[in-house]
Amino acid sequence: MKNKDIRNLFLYVLFFFVASCSTTKKNESKVKFAHIPTVDEEYIVDNSLDTDTIQEPIALFTERKKWVDSVYTSMTFEERLGQLFMVAAYSNKDNAHVNAVERLILDSKVGGLIFFQGGPVRQAKLINRFQAQSKIPLFIGNDAEWGLSVRLDSTYTYPWNMTLGAVQDMKLIEKMGTQIGEQSKLLGIQFNFGPVLDINTNPKNPIIGFRSFGEDKYNVTTRAIALMKGLQHKGIFATGKHFPGHGDTETDSHKALPTVSFSKERLEIMEFYPYKQMFKEGLSSVMVAHLNVPSLESRPNYPSSISYNVVTTILKKELGFKGLIFTDALNMKAASNYKKPGEIDLEAFLAGNDILLFPENVPLAIETLTKAYQDSLFNEKRLEYSVKKILKYKYISGLNNFKPIVTDHLVADLNSSKNDALQYELYENALTVLKNEEAILPIKDLENEKIAYVKIGDATNSRFVATLKKYTEVTEISDSNLDSLQLKLNKFTKVIVGYHTSDSPWKNYDFTPAELKKLAFLSKNNKVILDVFASPYALIPLESFNDIKGVVLSYQNSPIAQEVSSELIFGAIEAKGKLPVTVTSDFVANFGFSTEKLNVLGFTAPENVGMNPLILNKIEVVAQKAINGKMAPGMQILVARKGKVIYQKSFGYQTYEKNAKVINTDLYDVASLTKILSTLPNVMLQYDQQKINMETRLDSMLPIFKNSNKQDIHFKELLSHYARLQPWLPFYKATIDKKGDPLNKYYKKVSEAHFSTKVADSLFLRNDYHDTIMKLIADTKLLPQKKYRYSDFTFIILKEYLEKLTGRKLDVLSTENFYKPLGANNTMYNPLQRVAKSRIAPTEIDTYFRHQVIQGYVHDMGAAMEGGIGGHAGIFSNSMDVAKIMQLYLQKGNYGNRQYFSEKTFDDFNTCYFCAEGNRRGVGFDKPQLGDKGPTCGCASMTSFGHTGFTGTMAWADPETEIVYIFLSNRTFPGDSVNKLSRENIREDIQEIIYDAIER
């Protein structure tokens, strides 16, 4: 017996003795470790047959070794050989393929399957079927480099490694590995053939490229380790590939044998570096590539995968790797062109590989290996070395106790909403700004900008454009003739050029010559922000970046990448990414600017702001209840938290005839939300400038109230609806006859000099009737008792005050002071002057005053008689724009890093001054109920504020939970006789769901 064998026998006996004795003494540790593993070292084990370094609890080692030895002993020679083979399987092929795989399992006793194209449920069923047929449980492997979607439909796609190479937060990449690991577990997979450790120093590499983390060995290593930790923490074995290094090649090894011409010294410094570090961190397995590496293998054009020097001398002995070693797929031309089936398998095994991947002819390979064994080309010890290592991994993975895959809800479980949550975080950290001349990013001072968007490329851009338009007005411009295109662009201050290529990893991402010419032309004649939704290498052909003001690298054209990139352009996020590869002498690896973050609304998944998406999904049930119950034909609902929109959906149709579905960009008459969206913020500006205060009397604000019964009303009382004002007056009734038809004294069908106040189609009111309205208000009696009583008069009065004070109309004030700088370009009075009628939800079929379908004209009769511009009603908007204004309030007057009014002003207006008297109202704002009934679900904090509207609207914000909730509908269509929406508490029930969704 050799000295080493004697030593090993002695150590094994010693370990057995220690394990046995350790249970007899209470004061000693119950389990002795030769090495104390951490949680992340669950799968860091010594996979050789030697027992001198045992990196697992001895008790576990004993159980595992017992199982491995017993299974190995029970196997025939052919069964042992079969364990060396991992054959290809597909879940999208016919029965002939399935039967062929079964024959390999039953007759050749193969040890594993690598699955390629198909679907998750089909694959799961096949795995259950194949595992049931196999005497020894099968290894299942998958190339899930960026998720199971690499091979399977109906599964999730994560960012490619090149995109991850820009991410600086390794915890996010580890989290991605964890999620892929969890999904792999659900599908009965033990091996993920990733991460890719190739250092992509050659931009022309046709097969690695985007699959690499980049060109910097340190960056590649840290990201690969993070991904590996995530995978292996979930019990999935990670496989580093493609050893010895496939990053600097220009040949696809699927088609031919690539050559790596570096010296061994260079390889040790660069290509081997990630492997060395990964081995220290517990990498489970390595895949050896088919490469011609003259410095490592002297035989000409001899593939590294079958080189003893590469696999055994270097990988196992010099680098000390003791885990499982896979060949790359043996059907690849780089290998199969060199030797025939059977021969290539034998060479790979003799080189030191443990598992032969994707062999072309297993029966022939087993026959060839059997003959080689008989000819003493290898012995039993060599076979035992690999087979026992394989069995050991099978035990560690739990295959000794295999349980069939559960297919119920499998697709839903694989596509959990938390996947999107992580994807948002990854892109938020990956997007890279390469140029930011004149601080063009982020775009701010929106009131001074006119922005165009021009598309280059042949792939979809819909999410990008839609999100850009949520920030401000962005006009899509196109023309095949460059001169004609420029004529259209001359009036714009900035041009965003989006380069969109297919998000398929194998499609060409290069600019065409015509596209390069177009980009150069646009950049020379405009202030261009170029956003590239493609590989960094796509930028290499650009001759110059001198004329381009801003360059954003978004890496991929996925929907979330497009959305997050829009956020960066408008400042909702800052740029954090760094280039993973060198593009030019200026744009080198690890380069990237940071940009300013503005406190504007962004977008993310609910989980990222502590909200449960499954609970939020219940909103749809309540919305559908309202539609089915004819409480409203359709609606928009938005939820934001912590400055991020997490839910924005539209339901139903504009009318019950179901001719036009409601979409997020449609406009609704928001009714009394006008009070806090238009009039109130302008009043707050005057308060901020000390033009008025809480004790200002009404007679000092407007002369019409001097010597009236309202002269002593204080500003605070007025806006708290605590001034004894009448709720409203039906001003229109004095202008119609008994049949409800407009009187000629007051109306004309066409606009005339003194009849130009447009009330509806073909209906114009005499211009001086506004004075009559103000006189009627001034002359009304006060209510007998001082108590809370909601009144429209308050904001009709405030409109008059603002217009008299500033000399400008309220619509102009709101647009110039707020809507333009906020980018609330969908918020307006009289929308028919700016947008198509088809975008506006109708509010009523009027049979009593205007006698027409009210669509694009304000529903409120009093506001209509003011030409559509009322202090109490008249605003049309959508959920996104309303959310911006509510977020402005939530941030106490600040939005986009601009202070519109002081924090003190907001606090003063958001105070309930008369709560002790039973009046819940703030100054202009509605507040939560003091008792059982009120505007909210009863779950919002007392610091929350908002308003509701007669047409079926609600806007509410809560400083304590940082939630903004918007509900817009046209519940008044076709008539408003019964407010079922309010009676059924639809808005309040949805708000309650939102609060229930908060993760506590």
Side-chain angles (χ1 to χ4, degrees):
M1 187 177 282
K2 294 181 180 179
N3 290 338
K4 186 175 183 182
D5 292 330
I6 294 172
R7 183 192 67 182
N8 292 339
L9 178 61
F10 169 78
L11 287 170
Y12 178 79
V13 172
L14 175 62
F15 285 134
F16 181 80
F17 174 78
V18 171
S20 301
C21 294
S22 64
T23 59
T24 62
K25 296 184 179 180
K26 292 183 179 179
N27 294 331
E28 294 185 9
S29 176
K30 291 187 177 181
V31 181
K32 295 289 184 179
F33 292 87
H35 167 79
I36 306 298
T38 65
V39 173
D40 287 335
E41 292 177 70
E42 184 177 355
Y43 295 99
I44 303 177
V45 294
D46 173 10
N47 295 295
S48 72
L49 292 180
D50 297 339
T51 55
D52 54 336
T53 306
I54 307 299
Q55 292 180 306
E56 57 184 317
I58 291 175
L60 177 60
F61 162 72
T62 303
E63 289 297 320
R64 188 262 302 159
K65 188 175 188 307
K66 180 180 178 181
W67 184 83
V68 169
D69 289 345
S70 66
V71 172
Y72 186 83
T73 301
S74 69
M75 297 166 73
T76 64
F77 178 75
E78 289 75 17
E79 288 173 336
R80 292 171 181 171
L81 287 180
Q83 288 297 299
L84 304 175
F85 297 93
M86 188 175 248
V87 301
Y90 298 77
S91 59
N92 67 344
K93 290 193 174 184
D94 57 17
N95 286 332
H97 169 73
V98 174
N99 293 335
V101 174
E102 283 185 342
R103 292 266 60 84
L104 292 174
I105 293 170
L106 296 171
D107 297 345
S108 300
K109 316 296 182 185
V110 295
L113 306 173
I114 174 173
F115 270 90
F116 289 89
Q117 283 72 25
V121 176
R122 288 170 287 163
Q123 179 170 309
K125 290 178 178 178
L126 283 180
I127 291 173
N128 286 342
R129 175 176 173 176
F130 293 150
Q131 291 285 22
Q133 293 167 335
S134 182
K135 175 182 174 182
I136 299 167
L138 299 160
F139 269 147
I140 305 297
N142 186 276
D143 287 304
E145 294 173 21
W146 56 88
L148 297 174
S149 65
V150 176
R151 301 299 184 197
L152 299 177
D153 62 36
S154 306
T155 55
Y156 199 79
T157 301
Y158 291 91
W160 307 330
N161 284 353
M162 185 67 76
T163 306
L164 299 180
V167 174
Q168 304 301 302
D169 186 348
M170 297 306 105
K171 288 296 181 182
L172 293 175
I173 298 174
E174 183 175 344
K175 191 175 179 180
M176 174 175 151
T178 299
Q179 288 190 2
I180 295 174
E182 290 171 345
Q183 294 160 20
S184 299
K185 272 288 188 184
L186 289 172
L187 209 48
I189 293 169
Q190 293 79 46
F191 276 93
N192 179 7
F193 294 120
V196 172
L197 304 187
D198 301 317
I199 301 166
N200 204 81
T201 50
N202 189 340
K204 296 180 181 179
N205 194 319
I207 193 59
I208 303 302
F210 67 91
R211 299 167 68 195
S212 168
F213 291 110
E215 69 179 46
D216 182 292
K217 68 179 183 181
Y218 302 109
N219 290 344
V220 169
T221 301
T222 53
R223 285 149 186 79
I225 288 173
L227 195 65
M228 176 200 72
K229 284 183 175 180
L231 287 166
Q232 298 194 164
H233 180 65
K234 288 299 176 180
I236 301 300
F237 299 124
T239 306
K241 61 183 186 185
H242 306 82
F243 188 82
H246 207 320
D248 196 343
T249 60
E250 294 188 23
T251 303
D252 182 351
S253 53
H254 294 84
K255 301 175 181 178
L257 183 67
T259 294
V260 177
S261 56
F262 296 126
S263 67
K264 184 179 179 183
E265 290 72 24
R266 145 73 194 235
L267 292 168
E268 287 178 336
I269 293 171
M270 181 73 78
E271 278 71 16
F272 291 1
Y273 180 81
Y275 291 93
K276 294 175 184 178
Q277 303 307 312
M278 293 283 278
F279 297 165
K280 294 176 184 177
E281 297 291 339
L283 180 65
S284 296
S285 57
V286 167
M287 180 181 289
V288 183
H290 311 306
L291 301 169
N292 173 36
V293 192
S295 64
L296 304 183
E297 173 54 62
S298 59
R299 288 169 284 186
N301 297 315
Y302 198 82
S304 52
S305 55
I306 59 175
S307 165
Y308 181 89
N309 191 53
V310 171
V311 179
T312 297
T313 303
I314 296 175
L315 179 57
K316 295 169 73 173
K317 293 183 179 179
E318 293 182 9
L319 298 183
F321 184 63
K322 295 180 179 180
L324 274 176
I325 301 175
F326 291 82
T327 66
D328 207 339
L330 293 174
N331 71 325
M332 293 165 65
K333 296 303 181 183
S336 61
N337 284 350
Y338 189 80
K339 285 195 177 283
K340 297 177 182 179
E343 295 176 2
I344 192 76
D345 305 274
L346 174 60
E347 291 294 323
F349 181 66
L350 294 178
N353 293 288
D354 299 306
I355 296 181
L356 314 178
L357 197 65
F358 205 156
E360 292 189 283
N361 190 329
V362 175
L364 178 59
I366 289 178
E367 180 182 328
T368 304
L369 263 70
T370 300
K371 187 175 186 305
Y373 177 79
Q374 294 169 348
D375 293 343
S376 300
L377 292 182
F378 68 89
N379 56 24
E380 177 64 29
K381 186 172 183 181
R382 169 68 187 92
L383 182 61
E384 179 185 19
Y385 177 87
S386 286
V387 175
K388 282 195 172 181
K389 194 191 296 188
I390 292 166
L391 292 174
K392 179 176 184 177
Y393 270 79
K394 289 188 174 183
Y395 182 90
I396 293 170
S397 70
L399 280 174
N400 60 307
N401 186 29
F402 172 76
K403 294 179 181 178
I405 302 164
V406 178
T407 57
D408 293 343
H409 313 296
L410 180 60
V411 173
D413 292 341
L414 292 172
N415 292 279
S416 167
S417 61
K418 68 180 181 182
N419 302 350
D420 274 353
L422 175 59
Q423 180 114 260
Y424 273 102
E425 291 185 290
L426 289 168
Y427 278 109
E428 286 168 4
N429 283 268
L431 299 190
T432 308
V433 171
L434 300 181
K435 193 172 183 184
N436 194 17
E437 191 173 309
E438 300 174 9
I440 197 169
L441 295 168
I443 299 175
K444 44 191 177 181
D445 299 326
L446 299 178
E447 69 273 27
N448 300 322
E449 299 290 353
K450 192 171 180 62
I451 301 168
Y453 164 83
V454 176
K455 178 187 177 184
I456 295 179
D458 58 1
T460 179
N461 64 345
S462 56
R463 187 81 162 261
F464 183 54
V465 174
T467 310
L468 289 175
K469 290 181 177 181
K470 289 180 180 181
Y471 284 101
T472 192
E473 186 171 358
V474 176
T475 306
E476 295 178 77
I477 302 294
S478 63
D479 200 298
S480 57
N481 181 278
L482 292 183
D483 291 329
S484 299
L485 178 63
Q486 186 55 46
L487 282 174
K488 296 177 182 178
L489 292 173
N490 284 337
K491 61 183 178 181
F492 293 93
T493 58
K494 288 183 175 64
V495 178
I496 299 169
V497 177
Y499 178 55
H500 300 267
T501 64
S502 171
D503 209 37
S504 170
W506 311 110
K507 293 287 182 70
N508 182 17
Y509 51 72
D510 293 331
F511 284 88
T512 65
E515 289 169 344
L516 289 172
K517 180 181 177 182
K518 183 177 183 179
L519 177 59
F521 177 87
L522 290 170
S523 303
K524 185 177 181 179
N525 293 286
N526 305 276
K527 285 190 173 183
V528 164
I529 297 169
L530 173 64
D531 200 332
V532 177
F533 296 89
S535 165
Y537 293 133
L539 294 170
I540 291 178
L542 272 68
E543 292 183 0
S544 172
F545 290 86
N546 290 340
D547 292 329
I548 305 175
K549 299 297 182 183
V551 180
V552 180
L553 186 58
S554 296
Y555 296 95
Q556 294 179 235
N557 200 39
S558 70
I560 290 179
Q562 292 185 33
E563 187 169 69
V564 174
S565 195
S566 302
E567 290 184 88
L568 186 149
I569 288 173
F570 285 100
I573 63 167
E574 61 187 301
K576 298 179 181 178
K578 303 296 181 184
L579 261 179
V581 293
T582 294
V583 175
T584 69
S585 57
D586 292 322
F587 304 152
V588 297
N590 300 312
F591 173 80
F593 287 112
S594 60
T595 55
E596 182 183 5
K597 183 183 184 303
L598 308 178
N599 59 345
V600 296
L601 282 172
F603 305 89
T604 194
E607 293 92 335
N608 291 337
V609 291
M611 300 288 280
N612 187 320
L614 297 179
I615 295 177
L616 286 175
N617 287 341
K618 296 178 182 179
I619 291 174
E620 186 168 349
V621 176
V622 180
Q624 203 58 52
K625 172 187 172 184
I627 293 167
N628 294 341
K630 293 200 171 182
M631 304 173 205
M635 60 205 66
Q636 294 176 349
I637 300 171
L638 181 147
V639 182
R641 191 180 191 206
K642 298 182 179 179
K644 295 285 188 178
V645 176
I646 57 171
Y647 189 100
Q648 185 186 9
K649 291 186 179 181
S650 294
F651 301 94
Y653 295 79
Q654 289 188 7
T655 69
Y656 291 112
E657 286 71 34
K658 298 184 177 181
N659 294 322
K661 279 190 172 182
V662 179
I663 58 176
N664 288 341
T665 53
D666 284 349
L667 302 188
Y668 277 93
D669 178 341
V670 301
S672 285
L673 297 193
T674 299
K675 295 176 173 71
I676 65 170
L677 300 181
S678 176
T679 313
L680 187 65
N682 283 292
V683 169
M684 294 170 83
L685 286 181
Q686 302 306 318
Y687 181 89
D688 210 48
Q689 296 167 16
Q690 300 182 355
K691 301 285 182 61
I692 47 176
N693 59 56
M694 289 295 169
E695 302 306 320
T696 299
R697 289 176 13 149
L698 189 53
D699 62 354
S700 68
M701 294 173 64
L702 286 170
I704 194 173
F705 292 105
K706 284 184 178 180
N707 301 316
S708 75
N709 59 0
K710 302 172 184 65
Q711 66 176 1
D712 294 330
I713 293 173
H714 290 172
F715 179 80
K716 180 168 60 177
E717 296 172 325
L718 181 70
L719 273 83
S720 298
H721 298 278
Y722 201 55
R724 297 169 59 199
L725 297 179
Q726 298 285 342
W728 76 300
L729 281 177
F731 302 114
Y732 75 97
K733 285 189 175 181
T735 67
I736 59 176
D737 62 22
K738 293 180 180 180
K739 295 179 181 179
D741 294 325
L743 293 168
N744 292 334
K745 176 182 177 182
Y746 297 105
Y747 297 97
K748 300 294 182 183
K749 291 184 179 181
V750 295
S751 178
E752 297 180 6
H754 301 293
F755 290 80
S756 61
T757 302
K758 195 169 187 181
V759 176
D761 285 338
S762 302
L763 192 63
F764 296 85
L765 176 67
R766 55 190 289 174
N767 296 340
D768 61 359
Y769 203 80
H770 166 75
D771 297 332
T772 302
I773 289 174
M774 291 308 300
K775 182 74 166 54
L776 287 169
I777 292 174
D779 291 344
T780 56
K781 292 182 179 180
L782 293 176
L783 295 174
Q785 187 177 356
K786 190 176 180 67
K787 64 179 182 179
Y788 163 56
R789 190 68 181 270
Y790 182 79
S791 175
D792 278 344
F793 289 180
T794 294
F795 284 87
I796 296 174
I797 292 168
L798 290 172
K799 170 182 177 283
E800 181 79 355
Y801 163 73
L802 288 168
E803 292 182 347
K804 294 288 187 184
L805 178 70
T806 64
R808 294 193 293 170
K809 292 294 186 182
L810 179 59
D811 58 336
V812 175
L813 288 172
S814 295
T815 299
E816 298 298 326
N817 292 336
F818 293 97
Y819 304 156
K820 280 187 177 180
L822 287 171
N825 53 292
N826 288 296
T827 303
M828 65 195 79
Y829 289 97
N830 293 319
L832 291 175
Q833 297 175 6
R834 290 174 50 188
V835 303
K837 180 183 283 189
S838 60
R839 283 188 54 199
I840 307 167
T843 51
E844 186 180 25
I845 299 176
D846 185 335
T847 59
Y848 54 89
F849 172 34
R850 287 170 279 184
H851 301 281
Q852 57 188 271
V853 175
I854 304 303
Q855 185 174 13
Y857 295 99
V858 62
H859 175 269
D860 183 273
M861 295 77 73
M865 296 173 74
E866 295 276 52
I869 304 169
H872 63 298
I875 284 292
F876 288 74
S877 190
N878 60 27
S879 62
M880 186 67 215
D881 270 14
V882 176
K884 291 178 186 178
I885 298 170
M886 296 305 291
Q887 190 69 28
L888 163 71
Y889 286 135
L890 198 61
Q891 293 166 181
K892 296 191 174 184
N894 195 293
Y895 192 88
N897 293 17
R898 175 189 294 193
Q899 198 72 42
Y900 289 80
F901 45 79
S902 69
E903 291 188 12
K904 180 183 181 301
T905 291
F906 172 77
D907 288 337
D908 288 350
F909 277 69
N910 191 35
T911 298
C912 177
Y913 292 98
F914 304 105
C915 274
E917 288 80 15
N919 179 356
R920 69 172 188 261
R921 307 292 294 216
V923 179
F925 294 114
D926 201 355
K927 301 283 288 177
Q929 54 265 43
L930 301 177
D932 295 333
K933 294 182 179 180
T936 75
C937 57
C939 44
S941 76
M942 293 307 295
T943 60
S944 70
F945 57 91
H947 218 284
T948 56
F950 186 77
T951 52
T953 60
M954 182 174 183
W956 210 267
D958 191 336
E960 293 188 19
T961 57
E962 298 180 77
I963 285 176
V964 169
Y965 163 46
I966 311 299
F967 181 101
L968 304 181
S969 78
N970 56 334
R971 71 99 196 156
T972 51
F973 189 88
D976 62 11
S977 57
V978 179
N979 191 346
K980 292 192 288 185
L981 189 81
S982 178
R983 188 176 64 189
E984 295 292 329
N985 295 317
I986 295 299
R987 292 168 292 187
E988 298 89 334
D989 288 350
I990 290 173
Q991 188 179 39
E992 186 168 13
I993 289 171
I994 295 166
Y995 277 77
D996 287 344
I998 298 173
E999 300 281 8
R1000 294 177 169 87

